[in-house]
Amino acid sequence: MLVPLSWLREFAPIEAGVDEIVDACNQLGLVVDAVHEPGRGVAGVVAAKVLEVKDHPNADKLTLVDVEIGGGETTTVVCGARNLSAGDVVPYAPAGASLPGLGRLERKKIRGVVSDGMLCSAKELGLGDDHSGILHLDGTAELGHDVRDVLGLDDVVLDLDITPNRPDAMSIVGVARELAAHFHVPLRIPVARAGDVNGDVRGATVTVEAPDRNPRYVARVASVRIGPSPEWMQRRLTAAGMRPISNVVDVTNYVMLERGQPLHAFDLGRLGGRGIVVRLAEDGEQMTTLDGVVRRLDRSDLLICDAQRVPQAIAGIMGGGASEVSDDTTEVLLESAYFEPTGIGRSSKRLGLRTESSARFERGVDPNGVLQAADRAIELMTEVASADAAPGARDEYPHPIEPKRVTLRAGQVNALLGTELEEGEIADALVPLGIELEGTGPVRTAVVPTFRPDLEREIDLVEEVARRIGYNSIPMTVPKSGEHFGSLTTRQRERRLVVDVLVGFGFDEAYTMPLVAPADLERAGLPAVGIELENPLRAEESLLRTSLLPGLLGAAEFNVAQGQSDLALFEVGHVFLPGAGDGPLPDERDRLGALLTGYVRRRPHEDDRPVDAFDLVDVWNGLVGALRLADARLEPGEQASLHPARSALAVVDGQVIGAIGDVAPEVAARYSLTGPTVAMELELDRLLDARRLPARLRRVSRFPASHIDLAFVVDETVPAARVAETLRTAAGDLLEDVALFDVFRSESLGPGRKSLTFALRFRAPDRTLTDAEVADVRRRAIDAVVANHAAELRG
């Protein structure tokens, strides 16, 4: 937002210099992006009066212009513009003057005639891009007077970056209020003569059919004489980044910039029925906006129509051409309204139409400043457009919006800011911002003005106090060690333990998007259903994910495409399941996902091998051991995205909490993963809520271990995990570790049979095991597996 300092100082008589004002704005959160000085580079240019315009004797496109520069002094200038006539007052740059981009001017001979300087267009003075003709000055300007004073080019313009939560600061008055409070000067806002809400509006009518979307609508009527705005208004609008159009339209823009209230002027003679109807659009209804584009509307769009219900404007965004103010306009209906912000924001985004008005309405204008803005506009139209205003105003405001009332505790202010502010100091920080404080003592009620919709809670007021006293003035303190010790909860420590286990197995943590497209779920072999966003930022990310696997598979696809084919990725994140939670909210769960693809790279003297599901089984066993789960196992079963014959279900305390296995070949192919790929996904909360074994500490044995391998032929339906559990039970305390390291299938084993090979490690804490002891425990293990699983020991 562009803020000319001269305009701002009309409301706050600040004597501080530009640097001080810039520092104050930055401290208050009104970040200054740039400081513009329109008059920079202009020197020696004065106001001159055209006496006579003659054709150049040696050039068809040039003229000779005689000008008076004050005190009876005259000179002749060669000029290429044709918009001059005797009596015009124009900017004259004599020899020796300086202009932006041209530097110091010299007397020159042009086609045989000496030109003593030049007459200036707006572009040559640095006031814009218009160089089609010479700029005309106010006819009352003193001849010979410095043009910088005549045009106000000595003004400084601040370019402010206003955050979306501060609609009050999107106006000259709003910024002036902030700076007046900072510099301890009074805020002076002239009050225009108010229209009588019960008075005559010359037969104009207003009907609001959607009061929830348009809580307040004010209309005033005035006869006007259309013409250009006075030079001072054009100059201010230009400095603030607006293009002057005509006196009536310029007034609406002027008041919007000054008060933050967008206005719209309708040609009352072109409004059917001399009235306004505010209604919702019909699905498929169309209207052409001022930019000449035909807009297709739906029932979420709010329309301003004439009394015959013909659309005249998209409320709060842009008007239409049917009733726009033109040179033939003699009577206007002035609209000043408060529209519900969310609806304006939705329509503006859906239509791809963002304007100065919509930017303010969607953030929230002051509903109780609507009538004042209309009165201010009528006051200005009377001055610049010879307006004859009807004495009345139509004010449709059935349910006035009251200021919010928020409890403010001085103790809480100091506790949050680490300050020792007195109650009076807190009041001094808030009252100049228009926030009234009721009551006395340490607990008071703050009455928040309606032009500050961002202040809703006590913490918002605390932040206002911090802004006002200055963040740099808040002392730095070190918490006392006896007051509070930070620590992780048991659940937080266990989540970190899970992450540490994955990292210990060589995995890298991934963070993938929680928003997916239905096609992403289908691509991963999952149902294309989920919680759908009403207004997604991207159409291809319209669902909340129901699984971590699409994101991990997508990350693997990207890395493989970049030449990184050996991957070990994991993610801990939320998934959102529809229809499973209580009430309207989805069932939001934490899950652990892991994915391996490519090869396990071994030492130079060992062969590399492709990853397989047993690598993730090792991770599963690592998690079970680290968390000391009492009842955790893998059972046969199928899971979407995984190979039906090469996957297993993870079961904890009798409940399935996830699955491990090879990624289904068709799924891997969709992600261009040509190498072996395995994945795991577990319900993290159920994993952490499982029953635990008591923590047991055992002295590390200093005696050597004994190793044996056992291979069993079992039925295809027998899970390897069950066999491993039988081995643990039969071997007893001497068994230190058991691990499946080979699965073999062959017709030689018999139909429906497979071979499972386990590595067993035995160790005693107090001695070296003898061959007889190892043989005894080996026999017990073999007998148990043969008896419980109808197994055969494979030689």
Side-chain angles (χ1 to χ4, degrees):
M1 176 179 171
L2 298 177
V3 178
L5 287 187
S6 63
W7 197 352
L8 184 145
R9 285 188 167 111
E10 283 190 4
F11 303 102
I14 301 168
E15 297 182 358
V18 175
D19 291 342
E20 288 181 84
I21 293 175
V22 169
D23 289 343
C25 287
N26 289 328
Q27 176 185 313
L28 294 169
L30 312 176
V31 179
V32 180
D33 281 343
V35 178
H36 304 291
E37 298 181 53
R40 182 183 293 273
V42 177
V45 183
V46 299
K49 182 177 181 180
V50 176
L51 300 176
E52 185 180 5
V53 180
K54 299 175 291 187
D55 291 334
H56 193 292
N58 304 319
D60 295 338
K61 295 183 178 181
L62 299 178
T63 59
L64 302 180
V65 183
D66 294 334
V67 295
E68 179 185 353
I69 56 177
E73 183 181 355
T74 63
T75 189
T76 300
V77 179
V78 177
C79 181
R82 293 282 182 172
N83 66 326
L84 297 175
S85 59
D88 292 340
V89 178
V90 295
Y92 166 59
S98 297
L99 293 173
L102 298 178
R104 186 179 178 85
L105 302 183
E106 297 179 356
R107 181 181 286 107
K108 289 185 177 181
K109 181 178 291 188
I110 302 175
R111 291 293 184 94
V113 178
V114 174
S115 179
D116 191 10
M118 63 182 294
L119 305 182
C120 303
S121 66
K123 182 176 181 180
E124 288 153 348
L125 292 172
L127 300 180
D129 295 326
D130 185 9
H131 62 283
S132 59
I134 300 303
L135 179 68
H136 287 221
L137 304 178
D138 191 329
T140 62
E142 182 181 351
L143 301 185
H145 201 63
D146 195 322
V147 163
R148 289 180 301 181
D149 295 333
V150 175
L151 293 178
L153 297 184
D154 56 344
D155 201 359
V156 174
V157 179
L158 304 183
D159 189 350
L160 302 183
D161 182 11
I162 305 300
T163 55
N165 67 319
R166 292 296 307 275
D168 63 297
M170 293 188 71
S171 67
I172 303 296
V173 166
V175 176
R177 179 181 292 108
E178 292 280 323
L179 292 175
H182 181 84
F183 289 107
H184 306 289
V185 298
L187 178 68
R188 301 167 179 169
I189 306 176
V191 178
R193 180 180 177 183
D196 181 2
V197 295
N198 298 314
D200 174 44
V201 289
R202 298 176 185 165
T205 62
V206 174
T207 303
V208 178
E209 297 181 357
D212 55 326
R213 293 286 301 277
N214 180 200
R216 189 176 192 185
Y217 192 101
V218 169
R220 292 209 62 182
V221 173
S223 300
V224 295
R225 183 178 300 165
I226 301 297
S229 299
E231 183 272 333
W232 64 267
M233 179 174 285
Q234 293 190 39
R235 186 169 68 244
R236 281 200 169 164
L237 290 173
T238 301
M242 301 290 287
R243 180 175 62 88
I245 298 172
S246 68
N247 48 11
V248 170
V249 176
D250 290 352
V251 164
T252 62
N253 288 332
Y254 189 93
V255 174
M256 178 185 69
L257 294 172
E258 181 181 272
R259 304 295 176 101
Q261 171 66 52
L263 305 172
H264 189 79
F266 296 96
D267 185 331
L268 187 55
R270 299 165 70 182
L271 286 179
R274 287 183 64 85
I276 290 291
V277 174
V278 184
R279 64 172 176 86
L280 292 174
E282 301 292 337
D283 285 330
E285 190 170 4
Q286 296 182 346
M287 76 163 287
T288 303
T289 47
L290 281 171
D291 55 2
V293 177
V294 178
R295 308 285 177 177
R296 185 177 179 84
L297 310 172
D298 64 27
R299 287 195 59 79
S300 67
D301 300 318
L302 187 67
L303 292 179
I304 309 299
C305 305
D306 62 21
Q308 297 173 352
R309 307 182 67 80
V310 177
Q312 302 296 326
I314 302 174
I317 301 176
M318 184 177 283
S323 58
E324 71 173 315
V325 172
S326 67
D327 292 343
D328 298 327
T329 299
T330 58
E331 190 176 26
V332 296
L333 183 147
L334 179 69
E335 168 193 283
S336 182
Y338 172 73
F339 299 114
E340 188 272 322
T342 304
I344 299 298
R346 279 199 302 262
S347 292
S348 176
K349 181 176 180 180
R350 189 183 64 78
L351 295 170
L353 186 59
R354 185 172 176 81
T355 62
E356 291 286 345
S357 292
S358 68
R360 287 166 171 80
F361 278 125
E362 68 188 27
R363 299 183 185 195
V365 301
D366 181 8
N368 291 325
V370 169
L371 181 59
Q372 298 171 25
D375 294 337
R376 170 63 170 157
I378 291 296
E379 180 182 65
L380 287 172
M381 285 185 191
T382 302
E383 178 181 348
V384 305
S386 302
D388 176 17
R394 284 298 306 271
D395 187 1
E396 294 295 323
Y397 198 17
H399 304 291
I401 298 173
E402 298 295 333
K404 298 186 185 71
R405 309 176 78 82
V406 181
T407 299
L408 181 64
R409 298 164 291 173
Q412 185 72 349
V413 173
N414 287 319
L416 290 172
L417 298 183
T419 55
E420 297 180 357
L421 298 173
E422 299 290 339
E423 296 161 19
E425 292 176 290
I426 295 173
D428 290 342
L430 296 177
V431 171
L433 299 180
I435 302 169
E436 298 179 8
L437 294 177
E438 295 180 345
T440 58
V443 180
R444 304 178 71 177
T445 298
V447 182
V448 180
T450 50
F451 59 74
R452 289 299 302 271
D454 58 309
L455 303 181
E456 299 179 335
R457 304 167 298 164
E458 184 180 38
I459 188 63
D460 299 326
L461 296 173
V462 174
E463 183 180 0
E464 288 300 288
V465 173
R467 279 197 321 115
R468 286 281 288 112
I469 66 175
Y471 295 110
N472 292 335
S473 66
I474 298 175
M476 292 185 291
T477 58
V478 178
K480 297 179 181 179
S481 60
E483 292 182 354
H484 176 73
F485 290 95
S487 64
L488 298 176
T489 65
T490 300
R491 179 56 61 94
Q492 289 171 329
R493 288 196 299 270
E494 290 180 342
R495 285 174 67 97
R496 290 195 178 187
L497 178 59
V498 168
V499 171
D500 289 343
V501 169
L502 271 294
V503 172
F505 275 95
F507 283 72
D508 295 312
E509 188 169 8
Y511 292 88
T512 64
M513 286 290 292
L515 302 177
V516 297
D520 293 330
L521 297 175
E522 291 179 341
R523 194 178 178 208
L526 301 168
V529 294
I531 306 299
E532 187 170 358
L533 302 182
E534 289 187 358
N535 192 21
L537 293 177
R538 301 173 61 196
E540 58 269 30
E541 293 176 349
S542 60
L543 297 180
L544 291 170
R545 66 185 176 189
T546 57
S547 169
L548 300 179
L549 293 184
L552 290 172
L553 288 165
E557 177 184 34
F558 175 81
N559 280 275
V560 169
Q562 308 305 314
Q564 302 294 328
S565 57
D566 300 329
L567 298 170
L569 304 175
F570 80 95
E571 180 173 12
V572 175
H574 298 297
V575 299
F576 307 84
L577 306 181
D582 296 330
L585 298 178
D587 184 7
E588 184 174 351
R589 301 181 181 181
D590 278 346
R591 284 190 182 175
L592 167 66
L595 180 141
L596 286 168
T597 187
Y599 284 76
V600 176
R601 303 297 176 181
R602 296 184 170 179
R603 298 172 183 173
H605 60 280
E606 297 178 335
D607 294 333
D608 296 336
R609 66 168 179 81
V611 300
D612 58 35
F614 296 109
D615 292 310
L616 285 180
V617 171
D618 289 340
V619 176
W620 162 258
N621 290 331
L623 291 169
V624 170
L627 295 171
R628 306 190 318 278
L629 302 187
D631 180 14
R633 62 185 182 275
L634 297 176
E635 294 185 350
E638 298 182 8
Q639 182 77 16
S641 301
L642 302 182
H643 194 296
R646 298 179 184 174
S647 59
L649 300 179
V651 180
V652 171
D653 294 339
Q655 290 187 325
V656 175
I657 67 163
I660 300 173
D662 289 5
V663 173
E666 65 274 13
V667 173
R670 294 185 195 122
Y671 288 91
S672 303
L673 301 176
T674 57
T677 305
V678 294
M680 170 178 73
E681 187 168 18
L682 305 174
E683 297 281 358
L684 185 57
D685 287 332
R686 291 186 182 180
L687 185 71
L688 299 181
D689 289 338
R691 290 185 300 111
R692 309 297 177 88
L693 295 171
R696 294 171 54 192
L697 300 178
R698 186 172 60 181
R699 186 183 299 276
V700 176
S701 176
R702 61 186 179 86
F703 297 95
S706 297
H707 301 267
I708 64 172
D709 294 341
L710 294 177
F712 298 98
V713 178
V714 297
D715 192 79
E716 185 70 53
T717 61
V718 176
R722 295 285 179 83
V723 178
E725 185 61 33
T726 300
L727 289 171
R728 291 190 186 94
T729 302
D733 291 340
L734 292 179
L735 180 64
E736 193 173 66
D737 185 55
V738 58
L740 176 71
F741 70 88
D742 184 63
V743 179
F744 175 70
R745 294 177 175 86
S746 172
E747 294 180 359
S748 63
L749 300 177
R753 306 283 280 178
K754 64 182 177 182
S755 173
L756 304 176
T757 304
F758 296 89
L760 291 83
R761 184 173 71 243
F762 302 97
R763 194 195 309 264
D766 55 354
R767 67 190 185 282
T768 300
L769 292 175
T770 65
D771 290 345
E773 287 178 305
V774 173
D776 178 64
V777 73
R778 179 179 183 275
R779 172 50 52 190
R780 293 203 313 268
I782 293 172
D783 291 346
V785 173
V786 170
N788 286 283
H789 304 293
E792 300 175 9
L793 181 65
R794 184 171 172 229

